[in-house]
Amino acid sequence: MWLKGNDPVIDINEIVHQLAVNAEAIRVLVQAISDQQAEWQPNPDTWSMAKVMEHMYNEERIDFRQHLKEMLHDPPQPWGAFRDEYLSVPSCRQALDRFWAERQASITWLEALDSPDWEIQSQVSFGPHNETITLSAGDVLVSWVDHDFSHLRQMIKWLHAWHEQESAPYS
């Protein structure tokens, strides 16, 4: 997002580029991990790489793109709930492949948008306490990129923990 004067302006081309770059980074980090390795958890409180990829796939399908479609629909539709659409995926490789396909569909959809109103807002229930917050379409769009960054950081930490374990007794 760039600022023109005091007015926020979203550069959709930059956002789309970053989503594509993020997807490629995720693909490169995960593609060499075996399915057996991907089931490993650094500790009981952290996700396996397979779980991270399953989450990324499902978020790509039922969260960001879907909610933006609802918000940018004419007329805008209420923000839909996550409707028991969370799918389990048999392997990390399949989750990665499905995420990749969904991300390509997201990019195609975003590139086809014609002057969307990023200021349009929805009241949504969010978080563990279902608090009501107001989000703009622009908020959802930039959160999509940040969601990638958060999970890229998680993946790097997982890879570091795996390497540390496999390198023992050396440190």
Side-chain angles (χ1 to χ4, degrees):
M1 179 160 66
W2 305 163
L3 293 179
K4 284 188 179 176
N6 291 329
D7 298 327
V9 176
I10 287 183
D11 184 339
I12 189 65
N13 294 323
E14 278 297 315
I15 297 285
V16 167
H17 175 74
Q18 191 63 61
L19 288 169
V21 167
N22 291 353
E24 179 64 13
I26 290 165
R27 189 185 65 74
V28 167
L29 286 173
V30 177
Q31 70 183 353
I33 297 170
S34 72
D35 284 334
Q36 182 179 6
Q37 180 184 0
E39 294 299 326
W40 177 76
Q41 292 175 256
N43 64 60
D45 296 329
T46 59
W47 284 358
S48 67
M49 188 65 80
K51 183 68 174 171
V52 173
M53 283 314 308
E54 183 178 84
H55 169 78
M56 294 296 291
Y57 161 61
N58 279 291
E59 287 292 297
E60 198 68 26
R61 283 184 333 99
I62 63 176
D63 189 357
F64 297 100
R65 184 178 70 221
Q66 182 61 36
H67 290 313
L68 278 173
K69 282 182 177 181
E70 293 163 351
M71 295 173 84
L72 298 174
H73 190 271
D74 189 16
Q77 303 296 304
W79 181 298
F82 295 113
R83 300 169 287 276
D84 295 328
E85 295 177 23
Y86 193 90
L87 297 177
S88 293
V89 182
S91 73
C92 187
R93 168 74 51 213
Q94 287 178 344
L96 175 61
D97 292 345
R98 291 177 187 184
F99 163 77
W100 184 261
E102 289 294 334
R103 178 56 60 93
Q104 299 315 304
S106 295
I107 288 170
T108 299
W109 176 74
L110 286 167
E111 289 174 332
L113 291 176
D114 184 27
S115 302
D117 180 1
W118 298 115
E119 298 304 312
I120 197 156
Q121 297 183 337
S122 288
Q123 297 282 321
V124 301
S125 295
F126 194 77
H129 304 294
N130 265 343
E131 57 192 278
T132 300
I133 60 173
T134 301
L135 292 174
S136 70
D139 293 329
V140 176
L141 183 67
V142 299
S143 294
W144 197 346
V145 173
D146 194 60
H147 180 262
D148 282 357
F149 291 149
S150 294
H151 287 295
L152 280 163
R153 179 176 51 237
Q154 180 183 26
M155 291 172 176
I156 294 293
K157 286 182 177 182
W158 184 96
L159 288 163
H160 173 75
W162 175 262
H163 178 71
E164 192 172 58
Q165 171 192 281
E166 293 300 298
S167 298
Y170 303 103
S171 63

